Amino acid sequence: MDSLSSTLHPFSNLDINMMLIIYLIAITAEAMSGALAAGRRRMDIFGVAVIAFVTALGGGTIRDVTLGNYPIGWTQHPEYVYIVLSAGLLTTLVARYMHRLKQLFLMLDALGLVAFSVIGCTIALALEYPIVVVIISGMLTGISGGVMRDVLCNQVPVVFRRELYASVSLFVCVLFLLMKWLGVGENITMLVCFGCGVAFRMLAIRFHWRLPVFSYQQRWE
């Protein structure tokens, strides 16, 4: 069992295997989104690879460094790196067709957000951190990769200015912890978290839900 699976002890073997599959789908989707962002900035192939890697694995890396959870997962499993880099470079070849798969891509991205958030919470719980740290761990895992992608691409991160993305991660983390506190079974917990999280994210995209924006234009000098 790999390092990801070994941290998910509250779940059965079937749940762990399913979570690992979703994790692999998630890092692939995030790597592709990173590659597309690099392409919009007209980066070279090395830049594409770096942005793809940071987007897919950056969130988990920041979480593990913050929590002191060593060794970091991808350092022990280079296959994750190969998957991410391959997905990023493959995107450069199929980017012209990506618009036809937009809905599928958004769905995979939503699945990835939920999976990363749940994994982040589970790892912090296994390390016996307080609840507020568990929630922050889930959110760090869910959104940090996208934040770093946008910063490296020289733009304000999407999660801070437009879409309900971080809010979805927070919702999933709280829902996950609430259901565990209520003693709900693992299978039902996972089903509800993924169902509600993905639905929330897709509805937010469909109906353009936004958080209130703070705008301050007054000059001080």
Side-chain angles (χ1 to χ4, degrees):
M1 198 68 70
D2 65 19
S3 61
L4 172 65
S5 300
S6 66
T7 63
L8 303 181
H9 58 78
F11 302 111
S12 67
N13 288 335
L14 178 61
D15 294 325
I16 291 173
N17 291 334
M18 181 59 66
M19 183 63 77
L20 180 58
I21 291 171
I22 293 173
Y23 173 77
L24 295 177
I25 292 173
I27 61 174
T28 300
E30 293 302 305
M32 295 176 74
S33 76
L36 291 174
R40 285 191 288 270
R41 288 296 181 178
R42 301 180 63 83
M43 294 187 184
D44 61 20
I45 295 300
F46 180 76
V48 170
V50 169
I51 300 300
F53 175 87
V54 166
T55 306
L57 300 176
T61 300
I62 289 178
R63 176 204 64 224
D64 288 342
V65 170
T66 301
L67 299 182
N69 183 39
Y70 301 109
I72 295 171
W74 60 265
T75 65
Q76 304 303 300
H77 296 276
E79 60 270 21
Y80 297 165
V81 179
Y82 298 145
I83 291 171
V84 165
L85 296 182
S86 297
L89 296 176
L90 178 63
T91 302
T92 65
L93 302 177
V94 300
R96 69 185 66 182
Y97 308 109
M98 291 293 289
H99 67 281
R100 300 179 184 177
L101 302 174
K102 181 178 179 181
Q103 290 303 315
L104 175 61
F105 190 78
L106 289 174
M107 180 67 71
L108 292 177
D109 183 66
L111 279 173
L113 176 63
V114 175
F116 287 153
S117 299
V118 171
I119 290 170
C121 286
T122 303
I123 290 174
L125 279 175
L127 295 172
E128 300 182 345
Y129 277 97
I131 294 300
V132 65
V133 178
V134 172
I135 293 174
I136 292 172
S137 172
M139 294 185 67
L140 278 176
T141 311
I143 70 173
S144 292
V147 171
M148 290 192 292
R149 173 200 64 209
D150 292 341
V151 169
L152 290 174
C153 290
N154 195 32
Q155 60 186 31
V156 178
V158 171
V159 299
F160 298 150
R161 62 186 171 89
R162 186 161 83 227
E163 299 178 356
L164 287 186
Y165 200 82
S167 301
V168 175
S169 178
L170 175 60
F171 168 76
V172 169
C173 293
V174 172
L175 178 62
F176 174 74
L177 292 174
L178 177 62
M179 296 189 72
K180 287 189 67 64
W181 181 72
L182 292 173
V184 179
E186 294 99 6
N187 291 332
I188 296 176
T189 297
M190 296 302 295
L191 183 62
V192 171
C193 285
F194 274 92
C196 293
V198 171
F200 186 10
R201 172 65 177 151
M202 299 307 289
L203 287 171
I205 294 173
R206 172 67 178 82
F207 295 106
H208 306 289
W209 291 344
R210 302 284 189 269
L211 289 176
V213 174
F214 174 64
S215 177
Y216 182 78
Q217 305 298 326
Q218 181 68 42
R219 299 180 65 89
W220 283 51
E221 61 274 1

